[in-house]
Amino acid sequence: MTVLLAGGAGYIGSHTAIELLNAGYDVVVADNYSNSCPESINRVEKITGKSVKLYELDIKDTDKLEKVFEENNIDAVIHFAGLKAVGESVSKPVMYYRNNIDTTLSLLETMGRYNVKNIIFSSSATVYGEENPVPYVETMKRGVCTNPYGWTKAMMEQIFEDTARADAELAVILLRYFNPIGAHESGMIGEDPNGIPNNLMPYVSQVAIGKRECLTIFGNDYPTADGTCTRDYIHVTDLAVGHVRAVDYIIKNKCVEIFNLGTGVPYSVTEIVETFERVNGVKVNHVYGARREGDLAECYANADKAYEILGWKTERTLEDMCRDSWNWQKNNPDGYCK
Ligand code: NAD
Ligand code: UFG
């Protein structure tokens, strides 16, 4: 069985490639390296001892994408290829809509031409919007998103649902990720952000190693136990295994399903910083600052459905997440390619 990972050289795609290869799937990766580099896949091959067929291309370019379907017998596609920086999406909305929506249309069109009927999509907890109460359950309606990035995810979910409604043979799984952090236990692959990290864990790691002076914790006056925001942090390897379960499932079942991929357990920003310091024996300089616009006080999953249907639940602890993030940062202080 062969799985095409669109955007597979990135953070979540590369971890998923390892778990798919370990589970016996063949993996083809197509990526334009707009936020990654081929070195991640070289390392996937080293870790697994297996080879990955790699294409450098823009998924929006249907002529080039056709070649991938022509040359490989693809059984399922996982669509990771997207731009994901929330702040950048506010200043460059057209770029986000163009890239994220067009990659989706391009994949669906090409799959249609080659009669490939299984697709899994990287969605996000952000589609629950501001109105729904936590914990989020898949049966809730999509909410009002707070930024263009979030809207691209909500729109793409709609596109997949409409396309599946029109084609009874098309199987779709929408995976709503919560907050992936951590890295492969080998320390050889991990998250490699460009420039100043937007997300908490890469910022924490870069402060710990001395690349950044100080972490600003955005707000300590939220209605949470310690006043800082809570999130459902999930180890990227657990998330990757969730994709393998989804592929196993979609190949056997003609389904249209949504699954939350989270632990169901929220942790605060302060808890993340304190756990990182304790587990790794390092100091993370931090100050409390103003709230960041658009942040919700709390965001966490009800993770029951993925367990009941896919038989998947997370196995790694917050300590594992902090240890593995640090291990990756220490071994690769400048990421893959810099
Ligand atoms: P990432 O940036 O590391 O990976 C995305 C990959 O897609 C990159 O390798 C990039 O080069 C590639 N790409 C982007 N546009 C492309 C195009 N037009 N053609 C070919 N390749 C293209 O991000 P990630 O953290 O691995 O996230 C993967 C997916 O999961 C994204 O769709 C993201 O929105 C979604 N997601 C991520 C998070 C998170 O916190 N990391 C949370 C929810 C959802
Ligand atoms: N935070 C800080 N300081 C920082 C960075 C983050 O205090 O320097 C805080 C944020 O305020 C938030 C928490 O750390 O409370 C987590 O922030 P991230 O930016 O790491 O993650 P978000 O929850 O904001 O966003 C993530 C993904 C989005 C996705 C969203 C919902 O980055 O892609 O989860 O799924 F849309």
Side-chain angles (χ1 to χ4, degrees):
M1 288 278 177
T2 302
V3 185
L4 169 63
L5 309 187
Y11 173 46
I12 301 169
S14 55
H15 287 81
T16 301
I18 290 180
E19 300 309 320
L20 283 168
L21 290 164
N22 287 343
Y25 287 98
D26 291 323
V27 171
V28 176
V29 165
D31 203 301
N32 66 355
Y33 308 130
S34 56
N35 197 37
S36 58
C37 63
E39 178 57 17
S40 63
I41 298 301
N42 288 339
R43 295 191 189 183
V44 165
E45 291 183 327
K46 275 193 196 122
I47 291 166
T48 59
K50 296 185 176 172
S51 65
V52 172
K53 205 157 169 192
L54 191 53
Y55 290 84
E56 179 174 359
L57 59 87
D58 193 316
I59 303 292
K60 300 196 289 301
D61 183 338
T62 40
D63 290 343
K64 289 201 179 137
L65 189 59
E66 283 218 0
K67 205 166 156 252
V68 178
F69 283 79
E70 191 71 55
E71 291 178 1
N72 301 280
N73 206 352
I74 309 282
D75 296 288
V77 175
I78 309 182
H79 179 18
F80 298 102
L83 299 174
K84 62 164 186 175
V86 172
E88 187 182 50
S89 80
V90 175
S91 55
K92 298 178 181 167
V94 175
M95 185 170 107
Y96 272 67
Y97 287 114
R98 167 67 79 195
N99 190 71
N100 292 1
I101 308 284
D102 264 10
T103 48
T104 300
L105 298 176
S106 178
L107 279 169
L108 282 170
E109 276 174 5
T110 312
M111 286 172 62
R113 247 172 258 137
Y114 286 82
N115 212 26
V116 176
K117 294 293 184 186
N118 300 305
I119 184 155
I120 294 167
F121 173 59
S122 298
S123 191
S124 165
T126 198
V127 303
Y128 287 106
E130 291 182 307
E131 303 78 8
N132 286 305
V134 285
Y136 297 136
V137 187
E138 293 88 341
T139 48
M140 291 171 171
K141 280 198 161 56
R142 284 187 283 272
V144 174
C145 297
T146 53
N147 55 72
Y149 164 77
W151 280 120
T152 68
K153 292 293 178 196
M155 288 175 188
M156 291 186 281
E157 285 199 355
Q158 187 69 48
I159 291 169
F160 281 115
E161 287 171 355
D162 291 344
T163 311
R165 209 167 288 127
D167 176 0
E169 282 178 29
L170 182 69
V172 171
I173 291 183
L174 308 175
L175 296 178
R176 293 181 178 161
Y177 308 159
F178 282 69
N179 285 59
I181 58 171
H184 189 259
E185 60 180 3
S186 64
M188 288 170 68
I189 64 166
E191 191 170 8
D192 182 17
N194 281 325
I196 301 172
N198 301 302
N199 297 115
L200 179 63
M201 189 50 96
Y203 209 107
V204 166
S205 308
Q206 292 195 8
V207 171
I209 208 157
K211 282 182 87 171
R212 315 256 159 227
E213 245 169 50
C214 185
L215 169 78
T216 301
I217 295 182
F218 299 137
N220 59 349
D221 58 351
Y222 284 99
T224 57
D226 65 19
T228 65
C229 295
T230 66
R231 295 287 182 271
D232 186 336
Y233 296 96
I234 172 173
H235 195 295
V236 65
T237 299
D238 279 332
L239 188 73
V241 172
H243 289 72
V244 179
R245 295 287 108 73
V247 173
D248 296 343
Y249 187 81
I250 206 170
I251 280 172
K252 294 199 194 97
N253 300 276
K254 280 290 153 220
C255 60
V256 180
E257 293 282 1
I258 301 174
F259 295 105
N260 287 337
L261 294 186
T263 65
V265 181
Y267 287 102
S268 74
V269 181
T270 300
E271 284 176 297
I272 297 290
V273 172
E274 287 175 357
T275 308
F276 191 97
E277 291 186 321
R278 174 171 53 78
V279 169
N280 298 317
V282 292
K283 180 102 193 68
V284 179
N285 295 327
H286 59 277
V287 292
Y288 291 95
R291 291 182 177 196
R292 181 172 69 177
E293 209 190 314
D295 275 345
L296 299 176
E298 299 177 286
C299 174
Y300 60 98
N302 173 319
D304 293 350
K305 185 179 171 190
Y307 183 57
E308 282 158 15
I309 296 185
L310 302 178
W312 171 89
K313 65 179 170 49
T314 59
E315 289 177 354
R316 290 160 183 82
T317 63
L318 183 61
E319 281 75 11
D320 296 331
M321 301 181 214
C322 290
R323 186 201 57 229
D324 291 338
S325 292
W326 179 232
N327 193 27
W328 154 253
Q329 178 71 63
K330 255 187 330 186
N331 290 339
N332 306 270
D334 298 314
Y336 291 115
C337 322
K338 289 142 208 154

